[in-house]
Amino acid sequence: MKKIARGYTLNECPPVGEAIPLSIQQIVVLIFNVLPVPLLIGGGIGLNAAEITILVAGCLLVTGIATILQTIGAGPIGAKLPIPLESSFVFVAPGIAFGMQYGLDVFTGACLIGSIVTLFLWTVFHKQLSRLFKPYITGAVVMALGLSLCGVGIGYCAGGTGSADYGAPVNLMLAFGTILIMVLLNHFGRKNFLSKASPLIAILVMSAISAGFGKLDLSAIATEAWIRVPQPLHFGIRFEVGPIITITVLSFFALVELMGDQASAAMLAQNRLPSDRETRGGILAQGISSVISSAFNMVPTISGSANIGLCGISGVTSRFITAIAGVVVALCGLCPKLCAVFSAIPEPVLGGVALTAFGTILVSGMNVIKGSELDARTTTIVGISLAVGVGFSMVADALSAFPFWVSSILSGVPGTAITAVVLSLLLREKKMEESV
């Protein structure tokens, strides 16, 4: 994979005039990725509007703080790569299920204990676990992530799941227009600012066009409050063994996804795999931020794959741009009116950006796998693990006869990671014997 020549590199900080628009496109994608998590969990368990607002505020504040910690770092904490940390979709279904069965206080307790246990295991056994998760395994995980996210991107392109005009031709036209603008700007403006800001330009142009179709609603900006202070442990905290085990397993494999995203980010930024220091720092940042997130009534954090894909689209891999996005998202957690500005962007327009970014993630996973030595053994491991993880996520009903936790760990990224690790242990690697 050739290193993208245009844009700003990992440790370059663009001038203010360019940093602001470049960070805005990262902010838009990051906010749209995390907002559905508290909204889906809160709505799924029947919280009122005021209680859902508390979840949203905590989610945005923690996402911003966690992103700053991951990109800028604090001592050994943080990978210092252009990787945001955000609330994970992986925990939405468990959050609704456990919230309805036990209450949100039990789910909060499970997220807190699961985050602490995962942080401990990955910190103490970092070297052993890093050796276990070979590059071809992390590459398979990234591919599974990209494949599963493409469905999410298509959902946005169609107008957003549950929308009254889902799948309407005008929605797909707006999404296609967004993709077309980015492609043209990237191709013809390869050596200037137009290519770097292509997602933002596409969003602005297509949002304006969306207004002509009645798709741009700015009313929420006026009605939102200026200040909203997040409330930690607002719903209390209790502990139940079953939910704790499920969330711990999911949290553990969320860190495998982080390792894959670190490989993608390092490959995009400097055409290399992440160093041991970067890997360890990234794990510490995600583990610590997951503990903080749990305290603010939210789910554990996970790396923001769509934003990493956005780096691939724009060619801007500066970690400082991602850090600026973290600062603004944290402010959105304190200022709902600011958040409403970004939330007004029509979902089909965002879908065009997201789908392109997710495709970049998919290709990044392929490149990580391609960089490994693909013999018959590794090809079998990668192929079967992808078939299991992606297959079960596509046909969720296949596991309907099993307990909920089984479907949670066998579908998508967890299923791909678990299958790859088990096969890697069963199919022992043959060492070349040197002839004397």
Side-chain angles (χ1 to χ4, degrees):
M1 176 180 177
K2 292 182 179 179
K3 181 177 179 291
I4 298 174
R6 64 188 188 277
Y8 293 96
T9 57
L10 180 63
N11 294 309
E12 283 186 305
C13 187
V16 175
E18 294 190 28
I20 293 175
L22 291 177
S23 62
I24 288 175
Q25 57 197 26
Q26 288 281 347
I27 295 163
V28 169
V29 173
L30 188 55
I31 286 179
F32 264 85
N33 272 349
V34 300
L35 275 181
V37 176
L39 295 177
L40 288 171
I41 292 177
I45 62 178
L47 298 182
N48 59 42
E51 291 172 324
I52 292 176
T53 297
I54 292 171
L55 290 183
V56 170
C59 173
L60 293 174
L61 179 64
V62 171
T63 293
I65 294 172
T67 297
I68 298 168
L69 189 64
Q70 183 72 295
T71 53
I72 301 301
I77 304 170
K80 298 181 181 178
L81 291 169
I83 302 174
L85 293 177
E86 60 188 32
S87 298
S88 173
F89 268 100
V90 173
F91 299 95
V92 169
I96 295 173
F98 295 140
M100 292 181 67
Q101 183 177 354
Y102 298 98
L104 200 56
D105 54 348
V106 168
F107 179 61
T108 298
C111 289
L112 182 62
I113 298 300
S115 299
I116 293 172
V117 171
T118 299
L119 176 60
F120 173 79
L121 290 175
W122 274 96
T123 302
V124 174
F125 301 105
H126 169 255
K127 290 186 177 179
Q128 295 88 334
L129 290 171
S130 295
R131 284 196 296 266
L132 182 61
F133 293 100
K134 304 284 188 182
Y136 60 84
I137 294 180
T138 57
V141 168
V142 174
M143 273 195 69
L145 177 64
L147 287 167
S148 62
L149 287 175
C150 283
V152 176
I154 290 293
Y156 276 119
C157 290
T161 304
S163 62
D165 62 346
Y166 185 80
V170 64
N171 292 332
L172 298 175
M173 182 200 71
L174 292 171
F176 175 76
T178 305
I179 296 173
L180 183 61
I181 291 174
M182 288 191 296
V183 170
L184 292 175
L185 289 175
N186 275 316
H187 182 74
F188 294 106
R190 190 167 296 174
K191 294 183 179 180
N192 57 43
F193 183 72
L194 292 178
S195 65
K196 304 170 195 172
S198 60
L200 177 62
I201 295 171
I203 288 171
L204 292 175
V205 171
M206 294 310 296
S207 293
I209 293 174
S210 299
F213 294 95
K215 296 283 185 181
L216 186 63
D217 183 8
L218 303 177
S219 59
I221 299 175
T223 57
E224 281 285 7
W226 281 102
I227 299 295
R228 173 176 57 206
V229 180
Q231 302 175 26
L233 295 180
H234 174 80
F235 302 94
I237 187 168
R238 287 192 299 124
F239 305 101
E240 293 282 347
V241 175
I244 287 174
I245 293 174
T246 301
I247 298 301
T248 300
V249 172
L250 292 176
S251 299
F252 183 88
F253 284 103
L255 276 171
V256 181
E257 183 176 327
L258 169 68
M259 293 177 67
D261 279 340
Q262 286 179 324
S264 294
M267 192 71 73
L268 287 170
Q270 296 184 332
N271 198 31
R272 61 173 176 82
L273 291 174
S275 66
D276 183 71
R277 194 220 68 78
E278 288 170 335
T279 302
R280 184 185 291 273
I283 289 169
L284 283 172
Q286 180 160 314
I288 292 171
S289 63
S290 292
V291 174
I292 298 172
S293 182
S294 302
F296 276 91
N297 320 293
M298 257 290 103
V299 302
T301 59
I302 204 167
S303 46
S305 303
N307 288 80
I308 299 170
L310 193 60
C311 293
I313 298 171
S314 64
V316 178
T317 56
S318 168
R319 61 191 175 97
F320 297 104
I321 292 296
T322 307
I324 292 171
V327 172
V328 176
V329 172
L331 290 175
C332 286
L334 300 171
C335 178
K337 195 175 287 291
L338 182 60
C339 181
V341 173
F342 296 106
S343 301
I345 297 169
E347 291 196 334
V349 175
L350 180 73
V353 176
L355 188 62
T356 309
F358 296 153
T360 303
I361 291 297
L362 175 60
V363 174
S364 295
M366 293 169 59
N367 281 318
V368 173
I369 295 173
K370 192 168 65 175
S372 307
E373 293 185 10
L374 283 179
D375 53 18
R377 171 182 173 272
T378 52
T379 301
T380 299
I381 293 171
V382 170
I384 294 177
S385 61
L386 281 170
V388 170
V390 176
F392 278 128
S393 65
M394 294 174 65
V395 190
D397 291 344
L399 297 170
S400 58
F402 292 85
F404 174 77
W405 63 268
V406 175
S407 62
S408 297
I409 65 174
L410 287 183
S411 300
V413 169
T416 301
I418 290 172
T419 305
V421 169
V422 171
L423 289 176
S424 180
L425 293 174
L426 290 176
L427 305 176
R428 306 296 282 179
E429 191 171 4
K430 293 182 180 178
K431 296 183 179 179
M432 298 291 292
E433 293 184 4
E434 294 183 5
S435 56
V436 181

